[in-house]
Amino acid sequence: MDFLMSGVAACGACVFTNPLEVVKTRMQLQGELKAPGTYQRHYRNVFHAFFTIGRVDGLAALQKGLAPALLYQFLMNGIRLGTYGLADSSGYLHTTEGTLSPVRSAATGALAGVMGAYLGSPIYMVKTHLQAQAASEIAVGHQYRHQIFPPQSWKVALAAAMVSGIAVVLAMTPFDVASTRLYNQPTDVQGKGLMYRGILDALLQTARTEGIFGMYKGIGASYFRLGPHTILSLFFWDQLRFLYHTYTK
């Protein structure tokens, strides 16, 4: 669970910070191995870069490389924070007297970081290639022409559903947990719940007794259900609409 929670939390943050990563990548590649003043500066500063990319490449370009970025964050932070969390919960970071050992803590953190960076490096390379892609008039650095999915592929819709699902499950899982427990609680003869008075009471009791992670129980199952559920719902809706219009003409 430590691995999953760490990875999903990092992915949630990545959805909002990836545009800054796109800007950072392009500004770092601008003027590569060229003396100042000998090249055209397409991006003068962060705000100008945002405006230029959105104007020339379109607003969607600010989320270029999001799919590998999410996978990278999930692997790197899942491994890094998850490994450190396991070491902490197993008691390795503490001495026999029960005090935190700075040496063990630093060594564990370094080892976990190296593992995460090593396994995530190939994905980071793909992410960088995709984020550097730009229209010719604002292109910087070498332009790789990777294409993850063919245009109009069902994989595009599935990937979009899985990416948007991160924000959805982070926002909705606590309410889903509360809803499940409200429906499942025992009742008295009048049908009144014996454990929770309502959704707010269920949320408060869960957070107070089980901690913040208790409110996110089942988040992995919720996430991997949401993406396929969304794409299948849209697929069946589209097919039924097609059949309806075909046979009602």
Side-chain angles (χ1 to χ4, degrees), residues 42-56:
H42 298 299
Y43 313 110
R44 293 194 294 270
N45 52 55
V46 174
F47 303 105
H48 182 256
F50 267 107
F51 175 77
T52 302
I53 294 170
R55 177 176 57 83
V56 179

Side-chain angles (χ1 to χ4, degrees), residues 104-201:
R104 291 185 180 183
S105 179
T108 302
L111 180 61
V114 168
M115 289 173 57
Y118 179 78
L119 294 174
S121 182
I123 305 167
Y124 193 92
M125 182 181 70
V126 175
K127 175 189 74 70
T128 301
H129 289 180
L130 292 173
Q131 290 176 338
Q133 288 180 358
S136 57
E137 60 264 37
I138 60 169
V140 292
H142 184 75
Q143 293 290 291
Y144 288 91
R145 291 300 173 189
H146 299 303
Q147 188 176 45
I148 298 179
F149 302 127
Q152 305 303 318
S153 170
W154 62 270
K155 297 177 182 178
V156 176
L158 178 60
M162 297 304 288
V163 169
S164 62
I166 295 171
V168 174
V169 296
L170 285 174
M172 293 303 299
T173 296
F175 299 99
D176 196 25
V177 170
S179 173
T180 299
R181 295 184 175 188
L182 283 168
Y183 281 124
N184 193 61
Q185 68 176 325
T187 58
D188 58 19
V189 292
Q190 282 82 33
K192 185 177 180 180
L194 297 176
M195 298 178 67
Y196 311 106
R197 294 191 299 273
I199 188 168
L200 291 179
D201 183 53

